[in-house]
Amino acid sequence: MAEHTPIGLGHEASPVRALTHSGNFHADETLGYVILHYALAPQGDLRARILGEGPEDRLTFTRSRVPGLIQAAEIVFDVGGVYDPAAGRYDHHMKNKPLREDGTPYSAAGLLWKDYGLAAIRNMLAEPVEDAMAAAIWQAVDKALILPVDLDDNGVAKMGRLSLAEIVSTCGAAWDTAELYGAEEAGKREMTGFADAAGIVARYLVGVVDRARASLKAVERVLRAYELAEDKRILVLETGMPAEKVIFERDLPVVYVVSPAGGGQWNVKAVPPARGEFGQRVSLPEAWGGLEGQALADVSGIGDAAFAHPARFICGARSRAGAVAMARRALEIGAP
């Protein structure tokens, strides 16, 4: 994270001119612009600012390779041949390019996230969070999104088909646009494509940040529920939330997770043997598989049993007590 005061964050009212290169665009400079938008001028019009159509706001944004414009901008990223964050320069194409502590090369997005990510996060979240939580969200997003963009843009590891990088790329004009429609129209389509890509990336980044926040919140809830559990093999959650990540990272001996499923129903989901794998640590009883309603109630002995999936990884009841009873009964039958 920043070891200096990034340009624009020390004087929140002062205007800031940001610039990246024109021409073909990629995920890193598109994401870099979105980071600056949320960090410096989140109330502005993300798209109109690119196209020069909206009302002026604090952040001015230009796409150009003209040396005079590059020199005049306060923040320059992915172009210019200089990495000097104190001076607002965030290029990464030099011979001695900036590297992460583990030697991974940064992209422009990674460099901007390092300095402006925390400010962007605080402006994206609906409710304020403590510094420790903001830092944890920053780290989670860095790992889940920023690092893959760094790797892709530097040719270390491709994000692959249907990735954010691929989606951004398809927003650009085809190679023969100028040939078909003329240079002026090609320029317009390039700028419109960048605006389209920025809108997609902005929505994606907001979602990643919010999911990181929610995931960290879930850790506290899951651990609290585990502490209260009578049988540590059965985790009862009062609201639906991701629990598998916590179970495997903390090496919890949970076999079944009980949680509400909507409409008054509660589900029992079997934990897999390893995170992301198919199968179950303890499958639901074979006799339950594929049964519903009264047929399942008769076989299981649980009066409000609702269903059991044929693959025996999930079942449900019409009440919390019924679901907990199903989990207990399943352990009685199937636990070694």
Side-chain angles (χ1 to χ4, degrees), residues 64-223:
S64 176
R65 294 184 184 273
V66 175
L69 294 177
I70 293 174
Q71 184 176 2
E74 279 88 19
I75 300 175
V76 176
F77 58 99
D78 211 44
V79 69
V82 176
Y83 174 56
D84 183 357
R89 268 44 190 170
Y90 295 91
D91 199 10
H92 68 106
H93 294 102
M94 307 79 70
K95 182 177 181 180
N96 296 319
K97 58 178 60 183
L99 305 174
R100 291 173 177 264
E101 291 184 358
D102 64 357
T104 301
Y106 279 105
S107 71
L111 295 174
L112 288 171
W113 185 250
K114 183 179 178 183
D115 276 13
Y116 293 92
L118 278 174
I121 286 168
R122 293 192 180 281
N123 287 330
M124 279 186 271
L125 295 176
E127 299 291 338
V129 296
E130 296 181 356
D131 289 348
M133 175 62 83
I137 293 172
W138 183 95
Q139 189 66 50
V141 175
D142 185 67
K143 180 180 179 181
L145 173 61
I146 309 299
L147 176 59
V149 170
D150 286 351
L151 295 173
D152 183 276
D153 195 73
N154 284 287
V156 177
K158 295 293 290 180
M159 292 183 77
R161 300 290 296 180
L162 299 181
S163 67
L164 186 65
E166 179 73 9
I167 292 169
V168 168
S169 179
T170 58
C171 289
W175 68 269
D176 59 349
T177 301
E179 180 182 303
L180 294 174
Y181 305 106
E184 182 177 353
E185 177 63 20
K188 291 180 180 178
R189 293 192 180 201
E190 176 197 304
M191 197 63 76
T192 300
F194 188 91
D196 292 341
I200 293 169
V201 171
R203 181 64 193 88
Y204 188 81
L205 179 60
V206 169
V208 170
V209 166
D210 199 46
R211 283 177 173 268
R213 174 203 58 76
S215 178
L216 291 165
K217 181 179 179 180
V219 172
E220 299 176 3
R221 296 274 185 95
V222 170
L223 293 178

Side-chain angles (χ1 to χ4, degrees), residues 19 26 115 133-134 146 156 194 230 242 280 291 327 329:
L19 178 145
H26 307 96
D115 276 13
M133 175 62 83
I146 309 299
V156 177
F194 188 91
E230 295 179 12
Q280 302 86 41
L291 299 182
R329 185 66 54 79

